[in-house]
Amino acid sequence: MITGKAPEFDLPALAGGRQSLRDLLTAGPVLLAFFKVSCPTCQLTLPFLDRLRRGKAADAPQIMGISQDDAAATSNFNRRYRIGLPALLDPSGEIGSGRYPASNAYRITNVPTLFLVEPDGRISLSVTGFDKAEMERLGRRFGVEVFTTTDRVPVLQPG
């Protein structure tokens, strides 16, 4: 997993078009969430990230999912788990890009992996797997209570 300066990327967006890290950072900090639809820990984590997105304060970081799956699988995942996060596609076969260019640039070994990238491009937080304490810390940064009293979540779950 990479630390320091976040690698630049330019990826296809699930909603159409393309998006680069540079474009995202013009609006402020961004939480990048690398995931795979078949990953049980991603299935646990992404709905809570979506809760952060829905309840965030106006000045909270934006959240961007980066899927290691194709558009159809990612759309189905979003529908099944009721996720409204915008998503980019880290293509596994886009011509000239190689396999998973953004995931490789960020040295992803497990999913989910989260990176909080500050406007200057510096990575200020990285988390692999599900970590309840880190999710609560992100919640404080977003101004959102991530977990309710009825949520049954593990303290840690590796990716």
Side-chain angles (χ1 to χ4, degrees):
M1 188 165 39
I2 195 159
T3 59
K5 184 118 171 111
E8 178 59 41
F9 57 74
D10 184 311
L11 296 172
L14 182 60
R18 296 186 71 83
Q19 189 105 51
S20 70
L21 178 61
R22 185 178 308 107
D23 293 338
L24 292 169
L25 291 175
T26 62
V30 61
L31 180 66
L32 303 175
F34 288 83
F35 71 99
K36 190 144 187 69
V37 302
S38 60
C39 162
T41 305
C42 299
Q43 295 163 7
L44 168 69
T45 304
L46 265 68
F48 290 110
L49 291 177
D50 196 57
R51 190 179 284 177
L52 282 175
R53 177 194 61 85
R54 289 191 318 265
K56 75 177 188 145
D59 60 344
Q62 51 192 322
I63 304 173
M64 180 63 67
I66 300 180
S67 175
Q68 293 179 338
D69 294 281
D70 65 24
T74 302
S75 292
N76 289 337
F77 176 85
N78 288 351
R79 259 191 309 283
R80 179 175 182 193
Y81 293 97
R82 296 185 175 108
I83 295 171
L85 289 174
L88 302 176
L89 305 172
D90 194 11
S92 62
E94 188 174 81
I95 295 172
S97 71
R99 190 164 172 83
Y100 307 120
S103 295
N104 287 332
Y106 281 77
R107 299 184 191 143
I108 302 296
T109 58
N110 298 68
V111 287
T113 298
L114 311 177
F115 294 96
L116 183 57
V117 183
E118 301 298 336
D120 64 0
R122 178 182 47 86
I123 296 170
S124 63
L125 173 73
S126 58
V127 179
T128 299
F130 179 87
D131 183 324
K132 185 178 181 186
E134 289 295 347
M135 292 292 285
E136 289 170 329
R137 188 165 107 176
L138 284 169
R140 287 189 295 277
R141 172 104 186 238
F142 279 68
V144 176
E145 288 291 325
V146 180
F147 306 109
T148 67
T149 56
T150 59
D151 289 328
R152 301 284 181 251
V153 295
V155 173
L156 293 169
Q157 184 168 322

